[in-house]
Each structure stands twice: as C-alpha cells, then as structure tokens.
Amino acid sequence: MRKILLLFIIFPCVLSAQQLSGRITATDGKPIAYASIYVPELHKGTTANSDGDFILPLPEGEHNIVVQY
C-alpha cells in the first residue's frame, strides 16, 4: 500500500515542474493571509494560506499575474 501512495504523491509533482510560488506581504513585511493569485488568460488561480504562502502550477510561457486582497 505504501508504494501506491508514494506514486500518487510523486507523480503530480513531476507533471507540474514549472510553478509560481512565493509569499504575499504588506509593505511592513507582514504576510497577507488568503490573498488571491490569478492568471486571467488561463482562468487559473489559487489562494495564499494563513502565512501568505502560495504555489500555482503553470504551463511554460509568459503570463500576467493578478494579486488581490
């Protein structure tokens, strides 16, 4: 059972080798919790966690990024 579970964890990571990741912060350096990160041309986005951290898998290329709070 462990081998099957490990394959499901590793396989998605291999497919999404390119990603945008980071931390959304205010000008004072404090994280902005639950800000949204969106790529309009792909109709794809994500939300930062309570520490302002996010990961957004993207296809290769140039993209416009919109961050909102």
Side-chain angles (χ1 to χ4, degrees), residues 4 6-7 16 26 28 33 35 39-40 46 52 55 61 63-64:
I4 294 172
L6 184 59
L7 287 176
S16 61
D28 62 2
V39 182
T46 190
I55 298 173
H63 307 286
N64 294 310

Side-chain angles (χ1 to χ4, degrees), residues 23-26 30-37 47-53 68-69:
R23 176 173 285 168
I24 309 295
T25 60
K30 293 181 181 177
I32 299 178
Y34 311 112
S36 64
I37 300 88
T47 304
N49 65 14
S50 60
D51 296 322
D53 296 324
Q68 295 179 327
Y69 178 68

Side-chain angles (χ1 to χ4, degrees), residues 1-37:
M1 185 66 173
R2 283 186 171 186
K3 290 182 183 180
I4 294 172
L5 181 60
L6 184 59
L7 287 176
F8 284 115
I9 293 170
I10 292 174
F11 189 68
C13 297
V14 173
L15 289 178
S16 61
Q18 183 170 344
Q19 65 185 16
L20 175 67
S21 62
R23 176 173 285 168
I24 309 295
T25 60
T27 54
D28 62 2
K30 293 181 181 177
I32 299 178
Y34 311 112
S36 64
I37 300 88

